[in-house]
Amino acid sequence: YRQLPALYAELTAVGEGPGLTAARVLRFLILTSVRLKEGRGARLSEIDYDKKLWTIPAERMKIKEEGDFEVPLSDQALAVLREMQDGADRHTNDGFIFPGRWSHQCIGRNAIHLALARLQGDGDPRWLDDRGRKITVHGFRSTMATWAQEQRRDDGSRLFDQETIDGALAHFVGGVTGAYQRSQHLGARRKLAIAWGASAIRHGDNSP
């Protein structure tokens, strides 16, 4: 996660062209810690800009039985959405925030993986995780979790408890307890989203 601001800056610097939407999806995935399928399929109708909240319908979640999933949005995540809205064609993309090459479809997963591969460049990979492996789209979720687990208050206590981190990753237990977790931890997850968004864009050169 120490390299993340440099990686995020490179994604932000991607200019007009076939990789721009994919780069924005990657930024959105980093900031929200959702799964690839959930992120690339986001629709305008799911976003509440006033409440800074994204509600993913249960049918689009990995575990549908858990119900709709609310994702608090940082200012950085909202900025990505507004970038996409500026050039949106609402008549052809069926409300998809990240449209694909063809009408009525969201961007494909291969385009997103390709955008990440472009960042690696030719030859040896530029971006590696803490174990020396090439970064992956799914790995961004683990990156956020590791960062959150290491944040400490002045007295050494954890800034974000494990339930909040699990909640941000949609790792809830089922049934009534899970519903309680989702409602109780939204405020805590919002604080986590805000701190994580600020960390992603902090200044400093941590490039490989």
Side-chain angles (χ1 to χ4, degrees), residues 9 29 46 57 64 67 76 78 89 108 135 150 174-175 190:
L29 291 171
E46 299 169 356
K64 300 173 177 56
Q76 293 78 18
L78 288 168
D89 183 348
I135 59 171
E150 294 185 7
R190 184 174 296 282

Side-chain angles (χ1 to χ4, degrees), residues 100-166:
R101 294 178 58 190
W102 312 110
S103 298
H104 312 299
Q105 292 183 4
C106 65
I107 188 170
R109 63 174 59 248
N110 288 341
I112 298 167
H113 289 302
L114 180 59
L116 190 57
R118 288 196 188 102
L119 289 183
Q120 295 287 15
D122 299 325
D124 294 335
R126 299 175 58 232
W127 304 98
L128 303 172
D129 65 16
D130 292 339
R131 298 182 181 180
R133 303 170 301 186
K134 287 196 300 184
I135 59 171
T136 64
V137 175
H138 188 75
F140 291 135
R141 287 163 52 83
S142 298
T143 298
M144 184 282 295
T146 300
W147 173 87
Q149 288 164 354
E150 294 185 7
Q151 301 311 298
R152 294 289 188 274
R153 298 185 179 88
D154 291 340
D155 63 4
S157 63
R158 286 178 58 168
L159 192 59
F160 305 107
D161 61 35
Q162 193 59 44
E163 283 191 349
T164 298
I165 297 169
D166 288 342

